[in-house]
Amino acid sequence: MEKEKLTCKTCGCESLRPMQVVFEEEDEVENLLGEEQESRFYSCQVCGDNWLSVKEKSATGECTITFVHQMGTSPVLKRVAHMDNPVIVSDDNVQQWEYYKGDEPVEEEEWQSILDDRRETLKATCMN
């Protein structure tokens, strides 16, 4: 069965593929991701845009989803969604977003501007 293809937000091609992330060491998962986690890596086969999403649920029912955008570039762009419903993942269920450039919290506008600039560069590169 062929993996699901999604439309890339950068180049517009139906070439974005989600992949399940599997850790070899169980301790590695617990150290990095907490109690209950699910992670996926999304990568565009055309322009190279990518991100990692890590969904974490605690024993108290709290749920966060951390998105790390364009892994391998610096500074790291990360955003964290605090969810009130861990089953249905949508913007309507996000109670709060946190945005980071590296380890520093930043405003959403600054974070989005950096991501937009990176995506424009990737798009221009793959169009040439």
Side-chain angles (χ1 to χ4, degrees):
M1 187 168 130
E2 188 170 326
K3 289 203 179 250
E4 173 185 11
K5 289 184 184 178
L6 305 171
T7 302
C8 178
K9 294 178 182 178
T10 299
C11 67
C13 295
E14 285 188 7
S15 55
L16 192 65
R17 294 191 179 193
M19 296 171 264
Q20 191 74 29
V21 177
V22 178
F23 292 94
E24 291 184 20
E25 298 289 330
E26 192 66 33
D27 290 342
E28 185 179 358
V29 174
E30 289 175 12
N31 289 341
L32 289 175
L33 305 173
E35 297 171 24
E36 185 180 337
Q37 65 82 29
E38 175 185 324
S39 54
R40 290 194 185 272
F41 181 72
Y42 295 82
S43 179
C44 177
Q45 304 299 304
V46 174
C47 71
D49 195 7
N50 67 73
W51 72 88
L52 174 69
S53 69
V54 179
K55 180 170 139 180
E56 300 175 73
K57 290 186 276 186
S58 70
T60 61
E62 296 173 9
C63 177
T64 60
I65 303 177
T66 302
F67 299 89
V68 181
H69 288 266
Q70 297 179 336
M71 297 183 65
T73 58
S74 186
V76 172
L77 290 181
K78 179 172 71 171
R79 63 185 177 143
V80 180
H82 296 269
M83 309 289 290
D84 57 4
N85 184 339
V87 177
I88 302 170
V89 178
S90 74
D91 285 342
D92 294 340
N93 292 340
V94 176
Q95 293 173 320
Q96 175 187 356
W97 282 102
E98 294 175 325
Y99 298 88
Y100 297 89
K101 181 174 88 175
D103 292 330
E104 298 297 317
V106 294
E107 294 296 318
E108 178 182 3
E109 295 78 20
E110 179 182 352
W111 184 90
Q112 190 64 54
S113 176
I114 295 167
L115 182 63
D116 289 346
D117 287 348
R118 287 183 181 179
R119 285 182 168 166
E120 284 298 316
T121 301
L122 284 174
K123 186 176 179 179
T125 302
C126 80
M127 295 300 185
N128 284 334

